[in-house]
Amino acid sequence: MDNMRLSLIIPCFNESKNLPSLLKRCKTLTAEPGVEVILVDNGSTDDTKDVLSRLLTLTPGCRSVCVDVNRGYGYGIIEGLKAANGEILAWTHADMQTDPVDALRGLRIYEAEKNKGLFIKGRRRARPFFDVVFTIGMSIFETILLRRRLWDINAQPTMFHRSFFNTWENPPDDFSLDLYAYFLAREADLEVRRFTVSFENREHGTSHWNVSWASKKKFILRTIDFSVKLKNAIKK
């Protein structure tokens, strides 16, 4: 579609109970001319596909991409980005902890400044204390290791111009995608812009990584492994 201003990608893995609320919020987004939402059924094993099929007919401006077998959070987002038509590309989560309508605030910044060199992310507030401590610890670790200022790495939405996406090579399939995009933006000297977003409790279901300290440990180890690979790539 010509003049598509924004494509927002939302990966959905077993999020059928959240979809009615999510798509209701997405109607506010797609009421804006030139804005589309792409919901990626990321290999769900619940009835996400059926719920999407039913509700998308009632939500103009929203469409879906189907990934048959889950290969990770990052993989689902990349499949959505490949299908996107927008000049500005973005992603956020399906769990309603961050409002998808926040992406409109980022779009306003891009269009006011007409600057393709912006990289925009949310900055979460009102989070549980231990989650804040975890985020601070990971941010300090990544900043020291990669020698780039990286803060609240997994905050959403994440937004950038299509030309930046076209430079990506071999992005990770898992939750490291947020770190990958943020780090590349720093490497490319994009201007990182943050705006405050509310961070709410999940309406339904549980987090796929932030369930327990065991899941956090697994996430940390995978992130460290990817971070070291990034660091080694810088040296080459």
Side-chain angles (χ1 to χ4, degrees):
M1 175 180 176
D2 293 335
N3 301 317
M4 183 62 70
R5 300 156 60 204
L6 170 67
S7 295
L8 177 66
I9 314 303
I10 307 179
C12 306
F13 179 67
N14 293 347
E15 295 285 1
S16 61
K17 292 182 179 179
N18 280 317
L19 287 175
S21 296
L22 177 63
L23 284 166
K24 184 177 180 180
R25 295 300 296 152
C26 287
K27 284 183 179 179
T28 302
L29 261 171
T30 57
E32 285 268 333
V35 174
E36 67 172 355
V37 176
I38 301 175
L39 296 107
V40 181
D41 177 9
N42 201 14
S44 298
T45 56
D46 66 354
D47 57 349
T48 289
K49 184 176 182 179
D50 293 336
V51 174
L52 279 175
S53 178
R54 174 168 51 87
L55 294 181
L56 286 176
T57 61
L58 307 174
T59 318
C62 295
R63 56 191 174 98
S64 66
V65 169
C66 183
V67 174
D68 291 334
V69 178
N70 183 273
R71 292 175 56 181
Y73 160 86
Y75 184 87
I77 290 174
I78 295 299
E79 290 301 293
L81 292 173
K82 290 177 180 177
N85 295 314
E87 180 182 9
I88 303 303
L89 305 176
W91 72 72
T92 193
H93 296 162
D95 55 18
M96 297 297 292
Q97 289 186 288
T98 302
D99 191 338
V101 179
D102 288 335
L104 287 181
R105 296 165 61 194
L107 181 62
R108 303 279 187 251
I109 296 171
Y110 274 106
E111 296 189 332
E113 300 189 17
K114 296 180 172 56
N115 181 1
K116 295 180 180 181
L118 289 178
F119 181 82
I120 294 178
K121 283 184 74 69
R123 182 177 54 246
R124 296 172 289 187
R125 66 174 178 85
R127 300 175 65 211
F129 173 76
F130 286 109
D131 283 0
V132 173
V133 172
F134 176 79
T135 293
I136 291 172
M138 289 301 295
S139 297
I140 292 172
F141 170 79
E142 298 294 355
T143 295
I144 294 172
L145 179 70
L146 298 173
R147 298 183 180 181
R148 301 290 184 277
R149 187 177 186 278
L150 303 166
W151 196 258
D152 201 1
I153 296 163
N154 297 101
Q156 306 303 335
T158 298
M159 307 183 68
F160 43 86
H161 192 269
R162 173 176 291 276
S163 58
F164 175 56
F165 175 59
N166 292 338
T167 68
W168 293 13
E169 297 181 3
N170 301 316
D173 290 342
D174 60 13
F175 278 96
S176 300
L177 184 66
D178 286 298
L179 173 60
Y180 173 86
Y182 194 0
F183 173 77
L184 283 191
R186 288 293 193 191
E187 279 283 278
D189 291 326
L190 300 188
E191 181 183 347
V192 177
R193 192 74 61 83
R194 310 297 293 251
F195 61 88
T196 301
V197 298
S198 294
F199 192 75
E200 308 295 338
N201 294 324
R202 285 181 63 99
E203 292 192 3
H204 301 281
T206 58
S207 168
H208 301 300
W209 72 272
N210 191 18
V211 180
S212 63
W213 283 109
S215 63
K216 280 187 172 73
K217 179 180 178 181
K218 183 178 178 180
F219 172 80
I220 291 170
L221 292 176
R222 291 174 68 180
T223 302
I224 290 174
D225 179 65
F226 179 72
S227 302
V228 171
K229 291 176 181 176
L230 267 182
K231 182 178 177 62
N232 291 336
I234 297 170
K235 294 178 179 179
K236 293 180 180 179

